[in-house]
Amino acid sequence: MASDDSVKDSVKDSVKDSVKDSVKDSIARGVARGVRYSRRVVLLSADPAAEDGRPGELGRALARVGWDVLLLRPLTEGGPRSYTRVDDVRVMRVPAPAPYVEQTRRLSKALAGMRGRRFTPAWWRRQARRAQLRGYTALRDTAAVWNRGRARLHGRVGGPWARPGQLAAAYPPLVEAFAPDAIHACDDLVLPAALAAKQAVGGACRLLADAPGVGAARRSKLYARVDRLIREQPADLAARYPELVGVTPPREPGSARTAIAGDTAALYLTIGPTNMAGQGYAWARAVAQHLPGVRSEALMLRREKGGLLFECDELIPLGGWDDPRWQLRRMATVLDGRTHVLAENLKGVFGSLNGSFLTGDVPELIRAGIRFGVVFHGSEIRNPARHAELEPFSPFTDPECERTKQLQQLVERTEKALERFEGPRFVSTPDLIDDVPDARWLPVVVDLDAWTPGPPPLERERPVVIHAPTNPFLKGTDLIEPVVRRLHDKGVIEYRRLEKVPPAELVAFVQDADIVLDHFVIGNYSVLTCQAMAAGRVTVCHVHERVRKRVPAEIPVVEADPTTIGEVLEWILAERDQARALAAAGPGFVREFHDGRMSAAVLAGFLGVADAPGLPSPAGFLTGDGRGG
């Protein structure tokens, strides 16, 4: 058994690394833990087959009575970290440190060919020295089990010869991320790791341990630092766990979440993780502002350095999506206090823990009593082949185009996952009802406090025309820009192309423009279109007639497509009064559909909010061509 000094060193190192990696997230989680719908326990084992033994049996017994259980055990057979669920027990296989894996290799070599054979004690000592194992007795006992065929080798890896401190660095950061109410050491090899983990978690976390044999207890003083030693069988122990830990699971598995005493706002909505054009955050703020007693948050996944960042409540760092510490931390936060999840683009709630799509997280959410839905923004669900049939200016008409092929593959994967998904579906723009016919339109939201009308447009002899293509391929930039630049070169207009402008700075550019050019090949109007209308600009884009029919009001944008953009700009310059009148209608249209009130009204049904005073009725808001929802 490891010395107390080695345990202290491992505790210090693991705590330092854990805090350094995620100070901000730890603080955020601490705030969120004011509401507790979940009580959690982490089981630690050095057995690579723990889910099939006593730890797994204990985990299943605890899960049946409402505990959220995470079992950590070593992964010694190579390969990446893996995570699965076994009868409602979360099992994470943690890659063991190199010395631990080396012990496995040596043991395998030492036991090779031993089945059915008898050897003298001297022979056992030689084999122990060759394998660099501590003590020939442990090797002999393992071989005896091996010979009788009562256990596979991997069930004995990490036996009494292994160094306990080898797991003390691997487990604590994961335990700290899951923020349990109790840590349970299922064998003496993980006791140093359990002690380090308890210090990392802090607070009122209790440390339990299976009672050791007489020899193990005599060799180690570490057991004196355990809160309770456990001797009961798993079935009997589950009933006593609330007494041992000091808390009781507040709900039955699978039951709907209801307000807990002291919780003044029972409903808590999480939206994420893409936050496309800042819309996840905008919807979250709309819900919090317009639906009484509902809290909300929006997450954003940072995809690349230097990419545009929109306002959000939590920015998921580069690599965080696949980091098990972030995944477990997010799981703890959601289990503790969230009641609803709106997954953007069908992305998972807990990163890639259960795969790429929300469908992998659904069993977890159902067990937790959390209601879930999905919302789509565009390219992840807009089928290129279907779009090419519906839209004459579609950028997807060439099926051999590399971009088109990539998008087609992406959409087909998403469509297959969506077929397995049973839950509410929303789309941010009305054109996407072509691809998700049973979805409801959840209008994009514009902050009207920021996007105020600028100076009257078209007062300058040479109007300023701007185009801000975040994705030129999908905006049709290459099709319209040659015509626009010719007018610029003639001195008729002043053309400005904006790229990678921070969202906070875009307002000033739009307010200073006379004319804003947006979409020309998708047949839809987007966030920038709404922002330009809110700013009172003359807004030009291509909105297909089928899309216009789905909006219960006239959209005040000037219609143009790649073949008519030159003529339309010349008409605007010639008929400035008519163009100004259309621009003047923009703020009112945005206020009616895109100021957040209608979006909150659409989400009220999903959240179960029956009384939302002052909000417009979403009746007739679309699920298909002209169908109300």
Side-chain angles (χ1 to χ4, degrees):
M1 191 61 65
S3 68
D4 285 358
D5 289 339
S6 66
V7 173
K8 290 178 181 177
D9 290 340
S10 64
V11 169
K12 181 178 180 181
D13 291 340
S14 43
V15 172
K16 182 194 299 182
D17 292 340
S18 178
V19 171
K20 180 172 65 177
D21 285 338
S22 57
V23 171
K24 178 180 177 182
D25 289 333
S26 297
I27 294 173
R29 189 192 63 253
V31 173
R33 286 184 61 150
V35 178
R36 296 297 305 277
Y37 287 101
S38 166
R39 293 298 180 179
R40 294 184 293 281
V41 59
V42 175
L43 308 179
L44 302 183
S45 176
D47 183 357
E51 58 265 44
D52 299 325
R54 173 183 164 86
E57 184 182 355
L58 174 60
R60 290 187 287 274
L62 293 174
R64 283 193 292 269
V65 295
W67 292 91
D68 288 309
V69 182
L70 173 65
L71 169 60
L72 298 182
R73 61 85 153 172
L75 175 67
T76 58
E77 57 266 27
R81 186 187 317 270
S82 60
Y83 174 89
T84 188
R85 288 172 57 88
V86 180
D87 297 330
D88 286 332
V89 177
R90 304 158 187 84
V91 179
M92 181 167 281
R93 303 174 181 93
V94 183
Y100 195 95
V101 177
E102 181 62 15
Q103 291 282 12
T104 306
R105 187 190 67 79
R106 289 171 180 166
L107 177 61
S108 300
K109 186 176 180 180
L111 292 179
M114 290 184 181
R115 189 179 298 278
R117 302 177 64 184
R118 293 180 179 276
F119 302 96
T120 65
W123 186 93
W124 282 113
R125 293 188 185 96
R126 288 197 302 273
Q127 293 302 312
R129 285 195 297 270
R130 288 178 185 176
Q132 298 181 21
L133 302 177
R134 190 182 66 197
Y136 80 92
T137 304
L139 179 63
R140 184 185 61 191
D141 293 344
T142 298
V145 177
W146 175 260
N147 288 338
R148 289 195 297 269
R150 284 167 35 190
R152 291 174 294 171
L153 172 61
H154 73 250
R156 299 289 298 183
V157 168
W161 54 82
R163 297 176 182 175
Q166 290 173 355
L167 295 175
Y171 285 172
L174 300 174
V175 178
E176 186 272 341
F178 197 59
D181 298 280
I183 300 168
H184 190 131
C186 296
D187 52 64
D188 60 343
L189 282 172
V190 296
L191 191 54
L195 290 166
K198 180 183 178 183
Q199 183 166 336
V201 174
C205 179
R206 302 296 300 276
L207 176 57
L208 313 179
D210 285 352
V214 176
R218 186 169 55 245
R219 290 194 302 269
S220 175
K221 298 179 181 178
L222 297 180
Y223 282 98
R225 298 162 61 181
V226 173
D227 294 317
R228 295 295 292 267
L229 292 178
I230 304 302
R231 291 180 173 83
E232 294 97 329
Q233 293 301 311
D236 301 325
L237 181 58
R240 287 197 59 214
Y241 232 73
E243 173 193 343
L244 297 173
V245 178
V247 294
T248 303
R251 40 177 299 281
E252 293 293 328
S255 61
R257 297 196 159 197
T258 55
I260 296 177
D263 179 14
T264 58
L267 300 180
Y268 204 139
L269 169 66
T270 289
I271 304 176
T274 61
N275 196 32
M276 299 292 290
Q279 286 307 297
Y281 184 79
W283 288 323
R285 298 287 73 75
V287 163
Q289 179 181 353
H290 298 295
L291 298 182
V294 180
R295 289 177 291 173
S296 60
E297 65 174 354
L299 280 63
M300 181 175 182
L301 175 61
R302 185 168 191 171
R303 298 183 177 276
E304 59 184 14
K305 291 183 178 180
L308 286 178
L309 297 178
F310 294 90
E311 193 169 4
C312 62
D313 295 297
E314 181 180 343
L315 180 64
I316 306 170
L318 288 171
W321 193 247
D322 300 316
D323 185 340
R325 290 170 299 179
W326 183 88
Q327 294 166 344
L328 292 176
R329 188 174 297 114
R330 173 58 14 194
M331 179 180 287
T333 299
V334 171
L335 292 177
D336 266 347
R338 306 305 182 261
T339 60
H340 293 74
V341 167
L342 189 60
E344 295 177 288
N345 302 345
L346 202 60
K347 294 290 186 184
V349 180
F350 311 121
S352 59
L353 191 65
N354 292 305
S356 301
F357 295 108
L358 177 67
T359 48
D361 294 333
V362 163
E364 185 82 62
L365 297 174
I366 291 176
R367 185 181 190 278
I370 297 171
R371 193 177 184 200
F372 47 86
V374 295
V375 58
F376 294 101
H377 291 278
S379 296
E380 72 287 341
I381 197 63
R382 184 184 292 111
N383 191 301
R386 184 185 299 113
H387 189 268
E389 296 176 356
L390 296 173
E391 175 55 58
F393 304 104
S394 174
F396 311 122
T397 53
D398 179 9
E400 298 304 314
C401 171
E402 190 61 31
R403 290 178 179 174
T404 299
K405 287 195 292 186
Q406 291 175 356
L407 283 174
Q408 188 70 44
Q409 293 171 359
L410 168 66
V411 168
E412 289 176 359
R413 288 196 301 269
T414 306
E415 288 177 336
K416 288 181 180 179
L418 187 59
E419 289 175 0
R420 305 191 304 270
F421 177 77
E422 296 183 5
R425 308 172 187 200
F426 302 91
V427 290
S428 65
T429 54
D431 66 307
L432 294 177
I433 291 175
D434 295 330
D435 301 283
V436 193
D438 55 350
R440 295 201 69 185
W441 178 27
L442 178 62
V444 299
V445 175
V446 175
D447 181 1
L448 294 184
D449 291 332
W451 289 92
T452 56
L458 302 175
E459 295 290 335
R460 290 172 281 210
E461 181 63 26
R462 188 186 184 194
V464 172
V465 178
I466 66 170
H467 181 49
T470 51
N471 189 328
F473 177 69
L474 298 180
K475 293 274 189 175
T477 302
D478 292 346
L479 298 179
I480 66 159
E481 204 165 50
V483 176
V484 178
R485 288 198 180 279
R486 280 199 297 271
L487 294 175
H488 172 85
D489 295 340
K490 289 181 180 180
V492 176
I493 62 172
E494 180 182 337
Y495 175 59
R496 302 172 183 171
R497 177 169 169 170
L498 308 179
E499 293 181 305
K500 295 186 177 180
V501 176
E505 299 176 17
L506 184 61
V507 179
F509 283 102
V510 172
Q511 289 174 330
D512 183 55
D514 296 284
I515 302 171
V516 177
L517 309 179
D518 198 12
H519 275 288
F520 292 93
V521 293
I522 294 298
N524 181 52
Y525 75 102
S526 67
V527 175
L528 180 59
T529 313
C530 293
Q531 291 169 337
M533 288 190 287
R537 305 301 90 190
V538 178
T539 309
V540 183
C541 65
H542 167 53
V543 183
H544 195 281
E545 188 60 28
R546 76 183 190 286
V547 177
R548 289 181 179 269
K549 289 180 179 179
R550 293 171 185 168
V551 180
E554 186 66 28
I555 307 173
V557 299
V558 181
E559 173 66 28
D561 59 51
T563 65
T564 62
I565 183 63
E567 298 174 8
V568 169
L569 289 175
E570 291 174 352
W571 175 84
I572 291 173
L573 298 178
E575 303 293 340
R576 297 190 180 211
D577 288 343
Q578 292 186 43
R580 288 193 195 99
L582 197 60
F589 175 85
V590 174
R591 188 173 297 107
E592 183 175 1
F593 296 104
H594 299 285
D595 69 348
R597 292 178 301 121
M598 187 64 78
S599 303
V602 171
L603 288 174
F606 168 62
L607 294 168
V609 177
D611 184 19
L615 293 186
S617 171
F621 243 43
L622 307 173
T623 54
D625 268 325
R627 297 201 305 272

